[in-house]
């Protein structure tokens, strides 16, 4: 039996070896003239970016303060990921399509080449009636460092909803930006958040007024095009009292041999009785089969349930990036507030993932739920890192955590690193964890019913992820299911 | 007319261990054959080698199925060609509903046969019709594949998959194992309902009692990797009385 086993394993390994990055369907590059800052980071570059965007003095001061703090900080080394030292002086911190220099007045003025790029990505920037039965989705598209267009703005404005690029928000709604910027993730929160605070270029801004239920999904699509460019976008979502919004973020990048840095910051603020659902489908270029190229995805995301009965839910499908370092978290400050984290993290080839969440219980009767599904294939490494922390005043806090890992093949790794601390005796915390492998018998069973090996793996993995996929907005759940299959192509023999 | 399945001098094993040692078997369309034999005679290996499970080395002989040389086909290609194996131990797939699994399998097979995929409404109608015919309630289609199913439910579910995929040859591997008499009757009725002049069946069993309910046309005795005796249904009854002792002796003599 052991010999048969080794035959199977060898075949699996050979199949995995055959797999290359060429399956990445978003790997094309667009030929668009860009306006770039000189490489390197200094106070002057921070001033340059701020000037390019015509920012007010207070924001420049904020950036410079962040830069100063960043200079005194060290790169975090605690995550279970390995990559060569990043030369922060060899990166470009600002790139914008040249045609955007004066900024488009409306979508009609957007460079057609840009519109074609987004069309290729399957993201409509032209407002159009969608197919019957499909809800409308408003899109803010961020290309390299700038937002190139936001759809359905007028319709949203009728409800008093603000959905625009971050740069516009600074100009049009400075009071809101000033009040909430950095209020969830302080400038010096961590190394990458400080870097982002100093050089962030653009991103999306959302404000939902009191009592308004946002009538459509809002979404941002991030695209890195320029070579050797970092992308540092910043998203700020504010749901005022009693409001509701569902937000989706998608990401892709061209295939390049060198690594690219993506260090974004996302801040969510939910006030009394408000609810924010934030979903991410992260499909940055993961690098090729030998681990060459790919995005370094070092992202800080945090939501603040600032007042009573606020609810924040993070759902993420992480399939791309060479290295992922990301912990979307919830601060449960308001009494009776709740936070949720649903995650699917898939790693193949030489991808490395260190992802998870933090649930910080501060208020009374707060509850949180964590469902994490990690899938490792090839020679990848996939770690769940989570923290559930109940503070002394958080009476009757509850948490349920379920953390499942699935291994495909015998050269990948899964790690689970949960930190749990309770400083209030009334806390009820549950933690469940499993590790399993797709068995050869399961695969054979599926193949005997006519499924090819890749269909079989996709079916089994989708079953494994079901609890999380169910939480995605319907329009994106189907896409995510397909993506799960594509990401694991070539992972079995 | 050529046979539906023609196995000649089949030799196969795992690594250095020979299990099938020159097996001959011919099944015509419309016939039901039963293979009986003691534990370790190679019955399950035969079902796995026929259906293309990885890990077995075929060292000699041939397997012709409906114009295909089975050795040239991957497991899924054999399924598409119309070969179905009802598993002795059906596998669980958590998170995948029975319905999703049936639909994925049916459409994979249809695609492979150059047919259009079945639309959702027609599929649902067909699945309900076939499952009701097997006395299964609709709830079972919504449950996760084989997760928490009783032994009887799992076996009935295998027969449902067979009914949906409409194979040319169905191999039933120890379908009676773990079933009480009531469950056995239901499963056998399901199998009998699918007997047809176009379809062949190979029923692998350790005990005669299954053959009280699924009447075979031909009964074979397998021992030590070969068919050692063939006859009509009366052979099964004879085995029931005398047991496999004679054949075990045979095996010992070879060893």
């Amino acid at each position: 039996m052991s010999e048969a086993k080794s035959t199977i394993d060898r075949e699996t390994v050979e199949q995995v070896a055959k797999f290359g990055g060429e399956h990445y369907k978003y790997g094309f590059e667009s030929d668009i003239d860009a306006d770039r800052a000189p490489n390197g980071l200094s106070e002057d570059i921070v001033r340059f970016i701020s000037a390019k965007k015509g920012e007010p003095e207070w924001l420049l001061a904020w950036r410079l303060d962040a830069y100063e703090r960043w200079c005194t900080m060290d790169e975090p080394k605690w995550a279970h990921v390995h990559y060569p030292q990043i030369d922060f002086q060899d990166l470009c911190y600002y790139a914008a399509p040249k045609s955007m220099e004066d900024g488009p007045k409306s979508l009609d003025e957007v460079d057609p080449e840009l519109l074609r790029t987004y069309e290729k990505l399957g993201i409509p920037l032209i407002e159009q009636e969608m197919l019957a039965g499909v809800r409308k989705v408003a899109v803010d598209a961020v290309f390299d460092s700038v937002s190139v267009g936001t759809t359905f703005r007028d319709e949203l404005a009728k409800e008093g909803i603000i959905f625009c690029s971050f740069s516009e928000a600074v100009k049009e709604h400075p009071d809101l930006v000033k009040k909430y910027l950095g209020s969830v993730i302080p400038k010096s929160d961590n190394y990458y958040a400080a870097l982002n605070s100093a050089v962030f270029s653009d991103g999306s801004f959302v404000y939902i007024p009191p009592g308004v239920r946002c009538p459509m999904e809002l979404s941002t699509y991030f695209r890195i095009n320029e070579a050797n460019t970092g992308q540092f976008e910043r998203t700020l979502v504010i749901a005022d009292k009693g409001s509701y919004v569902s937000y989706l973020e998608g990401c892709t990048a061209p295939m390049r041999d060198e690594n690219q840095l993506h260090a974004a910051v996302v801040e969510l603020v939910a006030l009394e009785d408000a609810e924010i659902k934030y979903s991410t489908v992260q499909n940055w270029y993961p690098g090729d089969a030998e681990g060459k190229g790919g995005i370094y995805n070092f992202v800080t995301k945090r939501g603040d349930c600032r007042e009573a009965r606020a609810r924040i839910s993070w759902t993420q499908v992480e399939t791309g990036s060479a290295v992922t370092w990301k912990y979307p978290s919830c601060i449960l400050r308001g009494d009776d507030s709740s936070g949720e984290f649903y995650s699917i993290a898939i790693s193949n080839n030489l991808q490395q993932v260190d992802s998870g969440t933090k649930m910080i219980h501060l208020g009374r009767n707060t509850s949180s739920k964590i469902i994490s599904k990690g899938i490792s294939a090839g020679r990848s490494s996939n770690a769940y890192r989570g923290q559930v922390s109940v503070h002394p005043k958080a009476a009757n806090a509850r948490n349920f955590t379920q953390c499942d890992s699935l291994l495909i093949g015998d050269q990948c790794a899964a790690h689970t690193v949960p930190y749990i601390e309770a400083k209030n005796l009334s806390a009820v915390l549950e933690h469940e964890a499993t590790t399993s492998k797709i068995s050869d018998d399961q695969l054979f069973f599926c193949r005997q019913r006519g499924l090819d090996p890749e269909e079989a793996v996709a079916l089994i993995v989708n079953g494994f992820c079901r609890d999380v996929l169910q939480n995605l907005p319907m329009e994106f759940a189907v896409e995510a299911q397909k993506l799960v299959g594509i990401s694991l192509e070539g992972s079995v023999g | 007319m050529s046979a539906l399945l023609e196995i000649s001098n089949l030799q196969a094993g795992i690594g250095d261990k020979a299990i099938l040692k020159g097996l001959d078997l011919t099944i015509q369309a419309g016939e039901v054959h039963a293979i009986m034999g003691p534990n370790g005679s190679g019955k399950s290996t035969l079902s796995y080698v026929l259906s293309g499970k990885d890990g077995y080395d075929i060292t000699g002989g041939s397997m012709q199925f409906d114009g295909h040389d089975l050795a040239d086909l991957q497991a899924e290609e054999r399924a598409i060609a119309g070969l179905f194996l009802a598993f002795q131990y059906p596998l669980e797939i958590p998170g995948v509903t029975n319905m999703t699994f049936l639909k994925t399998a049916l459409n994979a097979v249809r695609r492979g046969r150059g047919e259009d995929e079945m639309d959702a409404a027609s599929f649902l109608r067909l699945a309900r019709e076939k499952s009701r015919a097997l006395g299964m309630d609709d709830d079972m289609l919504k449950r996760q594949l084989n997760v928490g199913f009783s032994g009887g439910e799992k076996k009935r579910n295998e027969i449902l998959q067979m009914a949906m995929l409409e194979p040319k040859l169905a191999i039933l591997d120890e379908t009676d194992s773990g079933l009480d008499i009531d469950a056995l009757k239901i499963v056998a009725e399901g199998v009998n309902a699918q007997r047809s002049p176009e379809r062949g069946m190979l029923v692998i069993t350790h005990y005669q009692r299954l053959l009280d309910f699924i009447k075979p046309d031909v009964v074979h005795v397998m021992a030590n990797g070969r068919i050692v005796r063939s006859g009509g249904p009366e052979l099964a009854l004879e085995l029931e009385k005398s047991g496999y002792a004679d054949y075990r002796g045979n095996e010992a003599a070879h060893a």
Side-chain angles (χ1 to χ4, degrees), chain A residues 441-442 447 449 455 466, chain B residues 76 85 95 111 158 161:
Chain A
D441 285 341
Q442 274 177 321
R447 293 178 67 187
R449 298 297 182 255
E455 274 179 292
R466 192 165 93 125
Chain B
E76 60 273 22
L85 171 64
R111 241 185 358 256
E158 291 291 289
Q161 290 162 41

Side-chain angles (χ1 to χ4, degrees), chain A residues 457-478:
Chain A
V457 169
L459 182 80
I460 295 168
V461 172
N462 272 309
F464 175 75
C465 300
R466 192 165 93 125
D467 303 345
V468 176
L469 288 170
Q470 281 174 337
N471 276 290
L472 282 173
M474 197 182 43
E475 293 86 341
F476 307 113
V478 178

Side-chain angles (χ1 to χ4, degrees), chain A residues 1-5 7-8 11 439-456 458-467 481 493, chain B residues 14-15 48 51-55 74-76 79-80 83-87 91-97 100-101 104-105 108-109 111 144-146 158 161 165:
Chain A
M1 213 52 197
S2 66
E3 280 177 49
K5 186 83 194 108
T7 318
I8 296 163
E11 282 174 10
S439 74
D440 291 337
D441 285 341
Q442 274 177 321
L443 279 178
F444 173 59
F445 184 64
C446 292
R447 293 178 67 187
Q448 213 302 306
R449 298 297 182 255
L451 280 66
D452 68 38
E454 284 176 356
E455 274 179 292
L459 182 80
I460 295 168
V461 172
N462 272 309
F464 175 75
C465 300
R466 192 165 93 125
D467 303 345
Q481 262 182 37
Chain B
I14 294 174
Y48 290 144
S51 52
K53 188 174 184 183
D54 285 336
Q74 295 291 325
E76 60 273 22
I80 288 162
L83 189 148
F84 180 92
L85 171 64
F87 282 63
L91 278 294
E92 298 181 2
I93 306 187
V96 175
T97 64
T100 302
F101 183 72
T104 309
V109 165
R111 241 185 358 256
Q144 301 179 28
L145 181 66
N146 291 329
E158 291 291 289
Q161 290 162 41
L165 299 178

